[in-house]
Structure formats: C-alpha cells, structure tokens
Amino acid sequence: MAILKIARMGHPVLRRRADEVPDPTAPAIRALVADMVETLRDINGSGLAAPQVHIPLRVVIFHVPAHRAQADSLPRPEGMTALVNPVIEPLGDEREDGWEGCLSVPGMMGSVPRFRRIRYTGMTPEGARVEREADGFHARVVQHECDHLDGILYPQRMTDLSLLGFVEEMQKRFAEAAHADRD
Ligand code: NI
C-alpha cells in the first residue's frame, strides 16, 4: 500500500472524462482502491476519486461521518464505500446549497448547489453491486466524487462565486456571524 500524490486543479487529469473499468474486480483495481483508502485516511478527507491520484478511471471512495449526516433522513452507509463505474440518478428536482472543499483545490471552500436526493449504483472491487438512495451530505459527497470522473471540479458547479474563498478567511466570517447572532 502507498500514499498517493494528489493532482491539483489545473492538472489535465482532472479535466478529462475518466474511462470505464472493464473488470471492477481486477487485482489492479483492488490495489488502487487500497492505496486510495490509505491516501484518504492520511489526509483525513471524506472522499477521493481516482483522477485525483492521476489515474483516469471511474473509481471513487467515500465515507459519511456520523456528525456530517445528522440532518440526513436516509440511513448513512457504515465505513468506507468503494465504487467502480458509479452512475447517479437525481430523485426529484430539489437542490440545496452546502459547503464543499476538495483535496484538489487545497485551502479553499465554496457553497455548491447539489441535488438533495439521488439514487446511485456501482460495483465494489469485491464484485458486489451497490444500489442506494441518499440525501443530504451523503448525496452531496457522491455527487462531488462522481463529478471528478467527468472532469468537473466543485467551483464549476457554483452559481455564486462570491461564496468561494480560502477556508481560513471563510471560517473567520462564520465565527463573526455566529458571534453577531449571539449579540
Ligand atoms: Ni474533490
């Protein structure tokens, strides 16, 4: 296993459509997923897509921490999910704004509209078919990671770029707003 180098915004691997994986259970895919899991744990993120580690294949991993899913109504998946060739279908037109960051856009965050509720399918590297419905944070992280497979980074989904900024600055603003609310 190895910790992999993360591609940053501007690298062409993040702009292209990633290729389908012909055999999701191939040993090379299992090895890739193991390295991606180790990389994500090292950097303490919620999700990672293979193009972010310079591999243009349709593979994502993600997890939904309990504290991030408190407002979600559908059940949260336990542990890390790895999906090969994932497909997303929005359930309804409803979208909601939420804050996102990305390991490929380090130090920044932005408010991104996403479908509130989705269904997604894919294969695990163990050969199991996954089909789930998700809402809230869970739906958001899946949409964010799958966008990477189509060469899309979250700022491209933003409708108000004034809500894109450096995490340090934005958190100061949130702290000030929270303080103002208390006054
Ligand atoms: Ni990302």
Side-chain angles (χ1 to χ4, degrees):
M1 299 227 292
I3 291 172
L4 305 170
K5 189 165 183 253
I6 305 281
R8 291 186 303 171
M9 183 165 65
H11 194 292
V13 74
L14 296 173
R15 285 201 298 268
R16 57 162 286 183
R17 187 180 189 280
D19 297 326
E20 304 284 334
V21 176
D23 176 7
T25 62
I29 296 301
R30 289 182 189 223
L32 169 64
V33 166
D35 285 348
M36 286 172 64
V37 169
E38 192 179 4
T39 302
L40 186 61
R41 292 216 163 109
D42 175 67
I43 211 161
N44 199 24
S46 297
L48 189 64
Q52 292 184 277
V53 292
H54 304 85
I55 306 290
L57 292 175
R58 303 186 81 77
V59 177
V60 299
I61 63 168
F62 58 87
H63 67 115
V64 180
H67 71 278
R68 302 298 301 270
Q70 280 165 353
D72 299 3
S73 51
L74 293 169
R76 166 183 88 85
E78 290 288 329
M80 191 76 72
T81 299
L83 281 185
V84 182
N85 300 332
V87 175
I88 294 179
E89 174 196 352
L91 296 176
D93 295 329
E94 195 185 340
R95 292 169 202 241
E96 61 191 2
D97 295 320
W99 294 101
E100 295 185 19
C102 180
L103 299 172
S104 295
V105 191
M108 302 200 79
M109 62 189 291
S111 178
V112 186
R114 298 282 186 190
F115 288 109
R116 201 183 75 76
R117 196 172 173 122
I118 62 168
R119 176 184 296 122
Y120 64 92
T121 60
M123 294 288 288
T124 71
E126 292 76 36
R129 184 182 151 80
V130 171
E131 177 169 355
R132 291 182 188 151
E133 290 188 12
D135 69 342
F137 180 82
H138 180 192
R140 176 172 297 278
V141 72
V142 173
Q143 289 172 85
H144 177 118
E145 297 315 325
C146 290
D147 262 357
H148 279 297
L149 306 182
D150 293 327
I152 297 167
L153 297 174
Y154 77 80
Q156 292 164 257
R157 293 289 192 193
M158 292 181 65
T159 49
D160 180 355
L161 283 173
S162 76
L163 298 175
L164 177 66
F166 289 96
V167 174
E168 282 178 17
E169 299 295 338
M170 305 292 267
Q171 284 178 343
K172 266 188 242 167
R173 248 173 59 175
F174 296 150
E176 281 163 14
H179 189 75
D181 284 347
R182 282 198 309 273
D183 290 346

